[in-house]
Amino acid sequence: MHEHSLVAGLIGKIEAIALENGGKKVTGVRVRLGALSQMSGTHFRGHFVDAARGTAAEGAKLTIEETTDILVPDAQHVLLESVELEQ
């Protein structure tokens, strides 16, 4: 359940970015999964695809960077690195 709410919050941020830029379609999203985020890239991708259905992010290319350094300050987090919008 934690994963669902985390990804839903991320989709909310992505939709806000799209709305701030004229409601454009999201074509790409880049996220970084911290080493202690307790989610694999595959697991995150499944949740993202489900949560993005019916939103501006549906069908967006998802790029996931999985980090391994447990000592970095964001090791427990999933970070939104960038959002690409339709021109």
Side-chain angles (χ1 to χ4, degrees):
M1 193 53 132
H2 172 266
E3 295 92 350
H4 175 76
S5 62
L6 184 132
V7 176
L10 185 73
I11 293 292
K13 288 179 186 177
I14 292 167
E15 287 205 295
I17 291 167
L19 189 59
E20 289 170 10
N21 289 278
K24 295 183 179 179
K25 172 127 178 76
V26 177
T27 57
V29 174
R30 178 180 291 276
V31 296
R32 182 174 45 189
L33 303 180
L36 301 175
S37 68
Q38 301 181 0
M39 259 203 284
S40 70
T42 302
H43 191 77
F44 180 86
R45 184 175 301 279
H47 280 284
F48 183 89
V49 168
D50 287 343
R53 237 177 242 119
T55 73
E58 183 172 13
K61 177 185 175 193
L62 178 62
T63 303
I64 302 169
E65 176 190 353
E66 295 182 70
T67 62
T68 57
D69 187 350
I70 63 171
L71 300 177
V72 298
D74 294 321
Q76 294 181 329
H77 301 283
V78 174
L79 301 171
L80 179 59
E81 294 286 308
S82 66
V83 175
E84 296 172 25
L85 301 171
E86 195 170 69
Q87 297 296 325

